[in-house]
Amino acid sequence: MRFMLSTLLYCILLLPFASSCSKDNQDCGCNGSTRRILENVQARYTGEGVFVVPDINSGFIQVYPCEVDTTWEISKDENTWNYTISGDLKKHCFGPNPELELPYPGGKIRLTNIQKR
C-alpha cells in the first residue's frame, strides 16, 4: 500500500513538469520568434517547399516557407536565381533529444515578399 501511495505522489508531482514540456508552448517554428530577417535576397526554388539562398557564413542555406504556393517555378539549374524573397527566419524547433541536434542556419521562414525574377 505504501508503495502505491508513493508512486501516486510521484506521478502527481511530475505531472506539471511533463505538461510544461509540451511542444505547443515552444517558441519556435512558424509561430515562434524571429531569429533573423532576410531582405530582398536572391533565391532559387528547388521544389517541395524549399528555397536555397546565399549566406555569408555558410555559403548557402535552405529555407522552408510556412505557406507553400504550388505555382512557384523550380529553378532549371543551380546557377539560376529565379526569385527575390524577404521574410522572417524563425527559431529552429528541436526534437525529443535536443542535445543530439546541431542548430543549422536555415529553417522555417514566414515570407513577407516574394518576386519572380
Side-chain angles (χ1 to χ4, degrees):
M1 180 75 170
R2 185 173 173 182
F3 175 75
M4 290 177 57
L5 288 175
S6 297
T7 305
L8 180 63
L9 179 63
Y10 284 120
C11 289
I12 291 171
L13 290 174
L14 290 177
L15 184 62
F17 294 108
S19 64
S20 69
C21 294
S22 169
K23 288 190 179 257
D24 296 338
N25 297 332
Q26 287 186 344
D27 182 25
C28 64
C30 289
N31 296 323
S33 298
T34 298
R35 68 178 170 92
R36 182 175 168 190
I37 296 174
L38 300 179
E39 289 190 34
N40 298 320
V41 295
Q42 58 186 2
R44 178 175 66 247
Y45 186 62
T46 61
E48 298 184 20
V50 179
F51 280 97
V52 174
V53 298
D55 183 64
I56 293 173
N57 297 325
S58 56
F60 299 98
I61 61 173
Q62 292 183 337
V63 295
Y64 307 88
C66 295
E67 291 94 26
V68 177
D69 188 335
T70 58
T71 63
W72 292 334
E73 293 179 23
I74 296 174
S75 177
K76 296 185 184 349
D77 64 62
E78 63 184 40
N79 296 320
T80 302
W81 302 99
N82 56 345
Y83 287 93
T84 300
I85 64 172
S86 298
D88 303 326
L89 195 57
K90 301 299 186 170
K91 287 183 179 178
H92 174 67
C93 291
F94 289 100
N97 297 316
E99 67 278 358
L100 300 177
E101 290 186 48
L102 294 174
Y104 57 89
K108 289 289 192 179
I109 187 170
R110 182 159 309 280
L111 292 175
T112 55
N113 189 27
I114 180 167
Q115 295 177 338
K116 179 90 171 97
R117 293 178 60 148

